Amino acid sequence: MTGVEGQDGSRTLQERSWKLEIDAYVEAHHEEMFQDLAAWCAIPTVSSQSEHRDDVRRGAQFALDALRARGCGHGELVETTGHPVVHARFGEDPARPTVLVYGHYDVQPEDPVDEWTSPPFVPTLRNSALYARGAVDDKGQVWAHLAAFESLMASGGCPVNLIFFLEGEEEIGSPHFHEAVAARKNELQCDVAVISDTTMTDPDHPAICTHLRGIVALECHVTGPSADLHSGEFGGIVANPAEALARILAALKDPDTGHVLVPGFYDDIPPLTERERHALAEVPFDEEAMREHAGVDTFVGDPQYSLVERLWAQPTLEINGVTAGYQGEGSKTIIPKHASAKITCRLVPNQDPMTIGRRVADFCESLAPEGVRVKATVQSGGNPVVAPLDSPYVQATADALEDVYHAKPSFIREGGSIPPADLLQTALGIPVILVGFGIQEENYHAPNEHFHETSFMQAVRVIARMMHAFSTIPRTERSKP
């Protein structure tokens, strides 16, 4: 046996040894890890509701305390105009790569509460899964990174420098995240960022996400009379804001294809290449299971695109909520003085959020019927994300996934949006790795959100392997996007 062969053999044995240690630690402590996650999920960190402002801060402090307890020597809450960002760091070794872990600790509102089997902020273990708001989006996946760090520290030490940067406003479009990045830009210098807030196609097939759609949010307000009016006295002579709003919303899309009718909405979008369409067609996708999960008989949309293309590679415009008039029990015969709608658009590469938002707003205002005033405002947005595939960190992540799942990962796109991914990639000049461990059936943003214990354990094992793999990448190969 040559010297080189001996070194390779020793390295292989060492690798097998630390993997066994990691896996044994996870097996022995996963119940405690899950209990810690449950305690975090019990804090109602609903960023969109002002009554939960103190809860959001409690959730941030919980995460910071947990990171300090696991070995992050430096940690603090970075204040913004909105909710704080958790910033913690382990390691300052210039010979090692520095990995930034981004995630969010805020959650969606729990409504409708009556559709939850167990209370959304009373975490419940049922059918080997944790049921709670935030269990998978994104507290569970963030906690997998904390648990992986804990496992590494207990099994010989963490082989990379780690930065945790966890925000509390992702569910409302990250309106103040840029403040924290600007304030800590020097301290955030790193080689790669990892975000676990995406999904797998099913529990047995891991995935690396290469594209995320961008997003822009708007509100459209229609104002009519100065007060609610008696419909018997004024009906037929005063314009009804609720009716006017309905007309405006109906005019935004083609009723048959869902094609957005806003002028300029599709400008600058390059058509999908045959290679891209072929790659999307190769992704494992169970349409029947997705229909069953959605509770619908059929899917809709432009028939010139496949279902996967509609989900991941085409822009959308959706009405997220409508408010008008009397909402209580029984009847109240009024012409409401005001009506409003919340609108979001999911965007693809080359679509600028603010440009698209303004086009939609202008179109809404141009549709104002006689007798009402229409004002549409753009609220927040985030750019689409294209993750680099030529980074050695991508291959290292793929190897870690295959080692745990015994299946090669799919390279997928996703229809959702993570605005900070583009900000980190652009501001820091680093590749961003999008690797998630949840599945759509775990009810992201819906009642009975949950995260399977097996998925959590697999995530911890994968992340620990990723950090070891990242540590072996030579400095000369640590690419920038």
Side-chain angles (χ1 to χ4, degrees):
M1 180 181 291
T2 67
V4 172
E5 289 171 341
Q7 290 171 6
D8 288 347
S10 298
R11 187 164 58 245
T12 301
L13 288 172
Q14 290 173 352
E15 181 177 312
R16 185 178 302 145
S17 175
W18 66 253
K19 285 181 182 177
L20 289 172
E21 281 192 62
I22 291 288
D23 292 349
Y25 186 86
V26 173
E27 184 64 36
H29 296 277
H30 69 272
E31 291 183 359
E32 300 165 35
M33 296 171 177
F34 230 42
Q35 288 170 0
D36 290 339
L37 168 60
W40 199 21
C41 290
I43 303 173
T45 53
V46 184
S47 56
S48 62
Q49 298 176 347
S50 58
E51 62 264 34
H52 287 297
R53 186 172 188 85
D54 290 343
D55 294 320
V56 175
R57 179 170 288 275
R58 282 201 301 125
Q61 189 65 49
F62 187 99
L64 180 59
D65 292 344
L67 285 163
R68 286 171 171 165
R70 283 158 179 77
C72 283
H74 168 80
E76 61 182 333
L77 297 184
V78 181
E79 300 298 339
T80 72
T81 307
H83 298 300
V85 172
V86 179
H87 180 201
R89 185 179 184 112
F90 167 82
E92 301 281 354
D93 188 343
R96 294 179 172 184
T98 299
V99 182
L100 187 150
V101 175
Y102 165 85
H104 65 92
Y105 64 88
D106 66 319
V107 300
Q108 284 279 321
E110 64 273 32
D111 304 81
V113 177
D114 59 357
E115 293 185 17
W116 286 78
T117 302
S118 52
F121 295 111
V122 180
T124 304
L125 189 62
R126 188 168 65 250
N127 301 323
S128 298
L130 180 67
Y131 283 77
R133 175 57 88 223
V136 66
D137 182 21
D138 184 35
K139 287 179 177 177
Q141 299 196 68
V142 169
W143 204 262
H145 281 271
L146 270 73
F149 175 56
E150 174 187 330
S151 302
L152 288 165
M153 294 296 285
S155 307
C158 184
V160 298
N161 304 315
L162 271 179
I163 300 171
F164 286 87
F165 211 57
L166 313 177
E167 75 155 318
E169 296 185 335
E170 195 273 347
E171 296 292 9
I172 54 174
S174 304
H176 304 106
F177 185 66
H178 66 282
E179 297 176 16
V181 173
R184 292 292 185 273
K185 189 172 181 179
N186 291 336
E187 294 95 324
L188 296 179
Q189 295 304 306
C190 58
D191 297 284
V192 63
V194 179
I195 299 177
S196 296
D197 194 14
T198 52
T199 61
M200 308 194 309
T201 53
D202 66 62
D204 300 318
H205 292 91
I208 297 174
C209 183
T210 62
H211 292 68
L212 288 170
R213 290 192 291 194
I215 190 171
V216 63
L218 309 94
E219 283 198 12
C220 180
H221 295 269
V222 180
T223 306
S226 58
D228 291 350
L229 300 178
H230 192 297
S231 65
E233 294 183 0
F234 291 93
I237 62 171
V238 172
N240 188 315
E243 179 185 335
L245 178 62
R247 290 180 181 179
I248 292 169
L249 298 181
L252 295 178
K253 294 164 69 174
D254 182 288
D256 296 320
T257 65
H259 186 84
V260 179
L261 301 177
V262 174
F265 189 82
Y266 294 97
D267 287 359
D268 303 322
I269 300 176
L272 287 172
T273 66
E274 286 303 313
R275 182 178 180 182
E276 287 173 325
R277 299 191 82 163
H278 178 74
L280 289 171
E282 291 293 306
V283 175
F285 197 86
D286 190 333
E287 183 174 338
E288 183 178 350
M290 190 163 187
R291 276 201 308 271
E292 183 178 339
H293 172 65
V296 297
D297 296 327
T298 186
F299 287 122
V300 300
D302 194 333
Q304 69 175 309
Y305 298 107
S306 71
L307 182 64
V308 174
E309 289 168 354
R310 279 175 261 162
L311 276 173
W312 294 346
Q314 291 299 303
T316 67
L317 185 153
E318 297 296 340
I319 313 302
N320 307 127
V322 177
T323 301
Y326 179 65
Q327 305 292 319
E329 185 177 357
S331 175
K332 185 178 182 183
T333 55
I334 61 165
I335 296 171
K337 67 176 182 178
H338 175 261
S340 66
K342 294 180 183 293
I343 302 169
T344 52
C345 302
R346 300 288 179 170
L347 310 176
V348 297
N350 284 16
Q351 285 187 302
D352 175 71
M354 294 301 107
T355 299
I356 295 299
R358 191 63 259 161
R359 286 174 180 168
V360 176
D362 289 346
F363 189 56
C364 287
E365 292 177 358
S366 75
L367 297 172
E370 186 178 0
V372 298
R373 299 173 300 282
V374 177
K375 179 64 176 176
T377 56
V378 181
Q379 295 184 313
S380 62
N383 290 318
V385 175
V386 179
L389 288 179
D390 57 353
S391 166
Y393 296 102
V394 173
Q395 185 57 54
T397 301
D399 291 342
L401 288 165
E402 185 173 0
D403 189 58
V404 172
Y405 286 92
H406 307 295
K408 289 185 178 297
S410 298
F411 289 88
I412 66 171
R413 300 183 180 208
E414 281 213 1
S417 308
I418 306 176
D422 174 72
L423 177 59
L424 291 171
Q425 193 164 267
T426 303
L428 302 180
I430 55 168
V432 173
I433 307 300
L434 300 164
V435 55
F437 303 94
I439 54 175
Q440 285 296 336
E441 289 77 4
E442 289 171 330
N443 289 11
Y444 285 67
H445 291 202
N448 298 311
E449 178 182 349
H450 58 283
F451 195 25
H452 285 90
E453 192 168 15
T454 300
S455 298
F456 174 80
M457 293 170 66
Q458 296 288 70
V460 176
R461 293 180 176 119
V462 168
I463 294 165
R465 283 162 169 77
M466 286 170 60
M467 299 307 156
H468 269 284
F470 289 176
S471 72
T472 66
I473 296 173
R475 181 183 294 273
T476 55
E477 295 181 23
R478 297 176 193 170
S479 61
K480 301 287 183 180

